[in-house]
């Protein structure tokens, strides 16, 4: 498949990394020659320097025979015009655009993206994706990572293993015997910085960070088994009143349990805008690093602080200060993945990576067959892929133990007739089943082959 990726920033680079690694013909376009050079030097891609919305630049990028274009520059307007040019001039069938401005995303204006207006097949909103990720973290406060799958029937949880974990030094095979009714499986372990798919004989040690795929109804029990106590959340402080913070506060206001939410925003105009758009949230104008302001927000009695400003260092420091003032749970936004290893030493409980959430969302729309969800784990080290099994798939009709999965692939969950099944070797995968597979990045192409998944253009 021939793909043009417009924008060679972090998101564009990661998408190019995924697609080029799967033997697609990828061309990266960016007006910054240094970013183009970085992409061509580190990835198996072609690079074009120029403005993505210019027809001659797209022509040089091979738009005349391209199958898909992904517009992920920093400008909404450039992304929109790029898709228009791709459609009107080059008849590219599949067009994906990243848009940030909330006005472009309002449902009442959705007709704007029809083929006879401004033809964009898929609109990705990083702010909406990040806000949803923040809500997932708050739903599982003991986990450093969380994502829902299989229509909410299952969750992927990232759990840090401490010295008091009840099941340390226990082979994973024995966990099945110890907890025979538990519908949960450890699909990934990060140890000393390396992520791998464990075997049944592997053990869990203090300091590990594990990924567990669990039935939603077993989520609390799963967390307890790995030494985490569920915490009830009634008071939440949000630091950062931009689009992400505003989206989270709106969602929290809409919950039936009527949480108490306070927001801190440094910019006065942004704070006034947030106050106008929120009904029950108390908005304070000031610096989220100011200890006096945090105390005014009663951070010491809050159940969680969510720090989502546009500056990574501010997010980390505000999280540390909130914890020092007595807040038991700190979740922060981190764009730079090199800062993530610092979080454990800084006692920050969980993080949200906007790049990873946006990449996951784009991959969800690129991968097809019956793929319904893709979640990128870590620094694009692995993926959790949710798909429906086709009758033509090599895995249809086979028991799990008989399927030739690569070493880096594990079955996390199977849904039959709307019911989550307990994973065991004798379980037979049938046509129409929904499956969730953990796959190391190098094994994703083989997983797609087993699922008979290919890119669809419609």
């Amino acid at each position: 498949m021939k793909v043009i990726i417009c924008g060679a920033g972090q998101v564009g680079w990661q998408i190019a990394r995924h697609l080029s690694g799967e033997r697609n013909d990828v061309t990266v376009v960016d007006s910054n020659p240094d970013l183009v050079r970085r992409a061509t030097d580190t990835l198996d891609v072609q690079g074009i320097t120029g403005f993505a919305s210019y027809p001659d630049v797209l022509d040089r990028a091979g738009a005349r025979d391209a199958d898909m274009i992904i517009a992920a520059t920093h400008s909404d307007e450039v992304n929109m015009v790029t898709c228009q040019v791709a459609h009107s001039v080059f008849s590219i069938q599949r067009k994906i655009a990243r848009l940030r401005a909330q006005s472009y995303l309002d449902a009442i204006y959705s007709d704007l993206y029809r083929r006879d207006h401004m033809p964009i097949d898929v609109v990705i909103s990083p702010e909406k994706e990040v806000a949803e990720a923040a809500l997932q973290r708050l739903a599982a406060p003991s986990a450093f990572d969380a994502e829902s799958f299989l229509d909410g029937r299952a969750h992927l949880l990232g759990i840090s293993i401490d010295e008091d974990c009840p099941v340390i030094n226990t082979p994973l095979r024995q966990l099945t015997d110890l907890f025979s009714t538990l519908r949960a499986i450890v699909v990934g372990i990060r140890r000393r910085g390396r992520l791998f798919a464990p075997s049944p004989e592997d053990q869990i040690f203090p300091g590990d960070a594990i990924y567990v795929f669990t039935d939603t109804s077993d989520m609390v029990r799963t967390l307890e088994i790995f030494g985490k106590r569920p915490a009830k959340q009634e008071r939440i402080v949000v630091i950062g009143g931009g689009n992400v913070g505003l989206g989270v506060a709106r969602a929290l206001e809409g919950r039936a349990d009527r949480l108490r939410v306070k927001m801190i925003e440094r910019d006065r105009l942004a704070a006034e805008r947030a106050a106008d758009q929120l009904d029950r949230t108390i908005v304070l104008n000031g610096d989220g690093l100011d200890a006096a302001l945090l105390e005014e927000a009663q951070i010491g009695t809050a159940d969680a602080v969510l720090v989502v400003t546009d500056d990574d260092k501010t997010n980390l420091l505000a999280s540390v200060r909130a914890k020092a003032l007595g807040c038991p749970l700190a979740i922060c936004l981190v764009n730079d993945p090199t800062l993530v290893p610092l979080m454990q030493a800084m006692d920050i409980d969980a993080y949200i990576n906007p790049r990873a959430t946006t990449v996951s969302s784009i991959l969800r729309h690129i991968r097809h067959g019956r793929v319904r969800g893709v979640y990128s784990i870590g620094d694009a080290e692995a993926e959790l892929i949710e798909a429906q099994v086709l009758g033509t798939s090599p895995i249809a009709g086979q028991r799990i133990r008989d399927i030739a999965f690569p070493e880096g692939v594990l079955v996390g969950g199977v849904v039959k007739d709307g019911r989550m099944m307990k994973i065991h070797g004798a379980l037979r995968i049938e046509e129409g089943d929904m499956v969730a597979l953990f796959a190391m990045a190098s094994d994703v192409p083989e997983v797609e082959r087993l699922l008979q998944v290919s890119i669809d253009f419609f």
Side-chain angles (χ1 to χ4, degrees), residues 123-330:
V123 172
I124 303 295
S125 165
E127 282 78 8
K128 284 188 175 181
E129 298 294 335
V130 171
E132 179 59 35
L135 294 171
Q136 295 279 1
R137 301 295 185 278
L138 289 170
S142 303
F144 67 80
D145 200 355
E147 183 72 15
S148 66
F149 289 90
L150 302 171
D151 296 323
R153 295 186 182 92
H155 274 74
L156 178 70
L157 302 177
I159 302 173
S160 298
I161 301 301
D162 302 320
E163 294 282 354
D164 59 354
C165 174
V167 293
I168 57 174
N169 304 324
T170 304
L172 297 180
R173 185 188 298 278
Q174 289 185 22
L175 294 182
T176 303
D177 301 327
L178 291 170
F179 308 101
S180 58
T181 61
L182 184 71
R183 286 166 296 182
I185 181 169
V186 178
V187 294
I189 298 177
R190 185 183 300 282
R191 182 172 296 152
R192 292 187 288 275
R194 187 178 73 88
L195 181 68
F196 63 93
S199 72
E201 305 306 322
D202 277 312
Q203 301 175 41
I204 296 172
F205 301 117
D208 286 351
I210 67 171
Y211 287 89
V212 184
F213 197 86
T214 176
D215 186 296
T216 299
S217 61
D218 286 341
M219 191 160 68
V220 172
R221 187 180 171 209
T222 298
L223 288 166
E224 289 175 342
I225 286 170
F226 292 102
K228 304 296 180 182
R229 292 188 180 89
K232 188 176 181 181
Q233 296 185 356
E234 297 177 341
R235 298 177 177 86
I236 295 173
V237 175
V238 178
I239 300 177
N243 289 331
V244 173
L246 200 53
V248 171
R250 279 201 196 106
L252 293 175
E253 283 190 345
R255 282 173 46 166
D257 47 1
R258 295 180 69 87
L259 298 174
R260 300 179 188 176
V261 182
K262 293 182 179 178
M263 175 183 287
I264 298 174
E265 167 54 43
R266 184 173 186 172
D267 182 80
R268 185 173 185 82
L269 291 177
E272 291 175 351
R273 183 176 67 247
D276 289 341
Q277 296 184 35
L278 297 169
D279 296 325
R280 299 195 312 274
T281 300
I282 297 172
V283 181
L284 304 175
N285 176 219
D287 190 346
L289 286 170
D290 185 340
L293 186 59
L294 288 172
E295 288 178 352
E296 183 182 341
Q298 297 179 308
I299 196 73
T301 59
D303 299 305
V305 62
L306 179 65
V307 194
V308 289
T309 78
D310 57 4
D311 183 78
D312 284 356
K313 296 179 180 63
T314 297
N315 295 343
L316 291 170
L317 291 173
S319 299
V320 170
R321 174 147 281 180
K323 294 275 286 195
L325 292 172
C327 186
L329 176 71

Side-chain angles (χ1 to χ4, degrees), residues 352-364:
I352 305 157
N353 184 335
R355 182 187 68 184
T357 57
T358 305
V359 167
S360 295
S361 183
I362 292 174
L363 288 175
R364 190 179 308 134

